[in-house]
Amino acid sequence: NWVPISNRTIPGTNQHYPPKGWIAPGVQKLDGYHALWYGRSREFATDYDRIQRQQCVQQAMIKQLAPATVLTRFQALAEAGEQVVETDIPAEQLSSFVSLAVKAKDQKVERLPIGPPDFGSAADNFVTYPDFALIHKRVQEMSTSAEETGAGSESGPARGEPSGTFTVRTAMVGQEPEITEEYLQQLAEAGDVDTLGALLADNGKCSVP
């Protein structure tokens, strides 16, 4: 579904000015700016929709990033992430992780958000009081199912994909032809949050072509 690109926060409030852009449903090739907004946007939707979109970006990265390229740029990536990532992995072991990454690229990725809608609902305080036994059971069921069916590999990234982009397919959940960027922007400018929330519900539904 449509994903808004948020504007600045209105001073003295927790609200934002109307979005400065939108990411439309359908197949999209996202540059870094739009990939970040696709994964981070949470206006007019829930945090759980955002979690699903972040998982979709991760899947796209696994399928489309070349492990060897990541290795050659590891130092720059490490410096960029040193504020949020800490590791004691020795540099000499990096080649082993590249080998693992090559094998992982062709494996099917399963998604299981630990929270609504997979567990409980946004209204029943599941995150505050999680059922750990149920979580363990669901994870074990997914692992067992994958082993029994021999979770096969998915096709790799399409040849000729431009570097520095990620391709995702957003599901048109309840999408009607008349829902346009202009219409959504008008609703945002009018402050009709309820209608926007209904129209953009489930904008976490997506897949990686």
Side-chain angles (χ1 to χ4, degrees):
N1 217 324
W2 291 85
V3 176
I5 297 175
S6 298
N7 210 326
R8 294 179 295 112
T9 302
I10 300 173
T13 74
N14 290 324
Q15 306 299 316
H16 291 84
Y17 288 108
K20 54 185 177 181
W22 296 83
I23 299 173
V27 178
Q28 300 286 344
K29 292 182 180 178
L30 308 175
D31 56 19
Y33 174 84
H34 290 90
L36 282 171
W37 269 115
Y38 179 77
R40 294 290 295 166
S41 176
R42 60 181 173 184
E43 276 196 281
F44 318 124
T46 70
D47 278 336
Y48 305 110
D49 292 312
R50 181 170 73 156
I51 289 171
Q52 289 179 306
R53 281 186 265 112
Q54 290 173 349
Q55 291 175 328
C56 202
V57 172
Q58 290 172 335
Q59 285 184 296
M61 291 173 68
I62 291 172
K63 286 188 72 171
Q64 298 174 39
L65 286 179
T69 302
V70 174
L71 179 61
T72 60
R73 300 179 182 176
F74 180 81
Q75 191 59 43
L77 290 169
E79 291 173 357
E82 65 183 2
Q83 298 298 319
V84 293
V85 177
E86 215 173 276
T87 181
D88 59 359
I89 298 173
E92 58 268 21
Q93 289 189 16
L94 289 178
S95 59
S96 298
F97 282 90
V98 171
S99 175
L100 178 62
V102 170
K103 296 176 182 177
K105 278 177 63 68
D106 292 330
Q107 297 302 311
K108 182 179 179 182
V109 177
E110 298 287 350
R111 298 192 293 169
L112 183 67
I114 307 300
D118 294 278
F119 297 90
S121 70
D124 66 5
N125 290 323
F126 175 86
V127 176
T128 305
Y129 305 102
D131 186 339
F132 290 107
L134 177 61
I135 293 173
H136 294 159
K137 180 174 179 289
R138 290 287 298 281
V139 171
Q140 185 60 46
E141 288 174 351
M142 287 186 70
S143 299
T144 302
S145 176
E147 291 173 359
E148 290 176 348
T149 58
S153 63
E154 294 184 336
S155 59
R159 294 184 181 277
E161 286 287 346
S163 60
T165 66
F166 298 111
T167 304
V168 297
R169 185 190 307 277
T170 56
M172 297 186 185
V173 181
Q175 193 70 27
E176 299 294 337
E178 65 269 23
I179 305 303
T180 64
E181 180 174 344
E182 291 75 19
Y183 176 58
L184 295 173
Q185 192 68 17
Q186 289 173 359
L187 291 174
E189 292 173 358
D192 193 345
V193 177
D194 292 337
T195 301
L196 282 168
L199 292 175
L200 303 186
D202 295 325
N203 71 0
K205 297 288 193 330
C206 57
S207 64
V208 180

